[in-house]
Amino acid sequence: MLVTRSKKLMKTTLLLSLAALIYPSLALAEQTLNYPKKNPLVTFSAPDDWKAQMKNGSLFVVSPDGGDVIVEVMTMDATIDDDAAAVKEARGTVNQDFKNLKLTKTEPTEANGLVVRLLGGEGEDDTGPAHINMALIKHPDASNQILFSLIASKDKAAEYGEACGAMLNSISAAAAAKPAAKAPAVGKVQTFGYPDKSSPEFAVDFPADWKMEPNDEGVYVESPDKLIAMNVLMIDVSDVGVALESMKKKIGGTYKSIVWNEGGEAEINKDEALGLTATFDNAVAMDEDVKYSVNFVQYVRKGSSKFLLLFSQQPLKALDKHGDALTNIIRSIKVKNQ
């Protein structure tokens, strides 16, 4: 994960890093918040009953109970190009208050008009175990990086998981700072839901103009130019230990060479409170002289008879055109709470 990459490969990693936000969400947050207050650069959503206030230059957002979830958005001392200093500064905001810290960082990735590096994991303070999620944000018009920190009591993960997921997934460049563009029309997505769209345990959104063909196992999806091919498979939970490795082996065998996770292990995120385990595998493959991006995402929900396995394969160059769409698809995956 620490190897320097090209822009194309960074986009491949985006499918991993942004999808790794373990909190699922089937609900939408309701109030829109901006930071900084004057000339905002970053915007995100939060529930209406959460209290937001500016204090000493930072924006604080607190859950209704008064502190089981605390969000802080602040301008960092680290400059826009000093990633090492930004990571060190972000760690420093939690080092003194938390022990047994286990934080993992991702590579910087592009999404919603921003460049974002995620730093997250778990720690323990005097109130008990907590989830720690930090986004180190670069805005093209800013001289310093912005830190979005979300710290949630592990005991309250089930109660506030949907709200946390909505906030993290809604982070984007403020409208005033985005390049001029037509607003997307409402409803320009099509949704696959299992067992059905009206009451899904699992749901994924795809662009409205992509071909979507349901089948006995799930759904096959293809971009209009046929550069992107994706499959969503709903597999019996009894096969959860073998299906992913079997599919990786089968797909990998179609290429001349393939390297998974830069030679390392898959990223696995577990949330016992939510009963959810997510696994992310990414690979770069070669077929003749063409490089390919191969991505697997597996979501296992406790108590469900099925689990979701999504995989895509595409020429690496296709990410120049479809990188944002792939990111939105991965980020749209929703899993119903127990």
Side-chain angles (χ1 to χ4, degrees), residues 22-27 156-163 200-202 271 273-276 301-302 334-338:
I22 190 67
Y23 297 111
S25 176
L26 288 178
K156 293 290 186 175
E159 181 177 351
Y160 291 121
E162 292 183 0
E201 290 186 28
F202 301 89
D271 194 307
L274 297 178
L276 184 66
R301 176 180 177 268
K302 185 178 179 180
K334 301 177 184 69
V335 183
K336 185 178 181 180
N337 286 346
Q338 297 185 73

Side-chain angles (χ1 to χ4, degrees), residues 47-281:
D48 268 343
D49 58 348
W50 289 40
K51 183 178 179 181
Q53 65 175 343
M54 292 292 300
K55 184 177 180 181
N56 299 325
S58 294
L59 172 62
F60 290 91
V61 187
V62 182
S63 55
D65 50 48
D68 280 325
V69 181
I70 298 176
V71 173
E72 180 182 4
V73 188
M74 58 173 281
T75 300
M76 305 179 75
D77 293 331
T79 60
I80 199 74
D81 295 322
D82 197 340
D83 289 344
V87 171
K88 182 177 180 180
E89 184 177 345
R91 289 182 181 274
T93 65
V94 292
N95 278 343
Q96 293 184 349
D97 296 325
F98 289 87
K99 60 183 180 180
N100 300 323
L101 279 169
K102 297 178 181 179
L103 301 178
T104 301
K105 66 180 179 180
T106 69
E107 290 293 314
T109 53
E110 299 178 20
N112 298 328
L114 303 169
V115 175
V116 180
R117 180 195 292 271
L118 300 178
L119 180 65
E122 296 183 350
E124 186 175 349
D125 65 4
D126 55 4
T127 65
H131 293 292
I132 299 171
N133 292 278
M134 293 184 281
L136 287 65
I137 300 169
K138 296 181 181 181
H139 189 284
D141 296 337
S143 57
N144 293 74
Q145 299 191 39
I146 294 171
L147 178 62
F148 181 105
S149 300
L150 187 155
I151 298 176
S153 166
K154 201 168 183 179
D155 292 339
K156 293 290 186 175
E159 181 177 351
Y160 291 121
E162 292 183 0
C164 292
M167 282 189 283
L168 289 165
N169 287 329
S170 68
I171 298 172
S172 63
K178 293 180 181 178
K182 293 182 179 179
V186 176
K188 289 297 183 181
V189 296
Q190 50 187 331
T191 301
F192 166 78
Y194 175 86
D196 56 68
K197 289 192 293 184
S198 62
S199 182
E201 290 186 28
F202 301 89
V204 190
D205 293 335
F206 297 96
D209 61 342
W210 288 28
K211 182 174 72 173
M212 185 169 161
E213 296 182 348
N215 52 50
D216 292 340
E217 295 179 307
V219 66
Y220 171 78
V221 183
E222 188 178 76
S223 61
D225 55 14
K226 299 185 178 181
L227 287 176
I228 308 293
M230 308 186 76
N231 286 270
V232 177
L233 306 177
M234 301 308 305
I235 302 174
D236 290 342
V237 74
S238 59
D239 294 325
V240 70
V242 297
L244 178 58
E245 291 305 316
S246 176
M247 290 296 296
K248 286 171 59 180
K249 184 176 181 180
K250 179 179 178 180
I251 296 299
T254 64
Y255 295 100
K256 183 178 180 181
S257 65
I258 189 168
V259 177
W260 291 98
N261 305 307
E262 297 183 321
E265 299 295 324
E267 180 168 339
I268 300 175
N269 291 284
K270 294 184 178 181
D271 194 307
E272 294 179 1
L274 297 178
L276 184 66
T277 301
T279 303
F280 306 94
D281 279 285

Side-chain angles (χ1 to χ4, degrees), residues 283-303:
V284 174
M286 288 290 298
D287 187 12
E288 301 301 332
D289 295 327
V290 180
K291 283 187 177 181
Y292 287 82
S293 162
V294 184
N295 312 101
F296 279 84
V297 181
Q298 176 182 276
Y299 275 82
V300 181
R301 176 180 177 268
K302 185 178 179 180

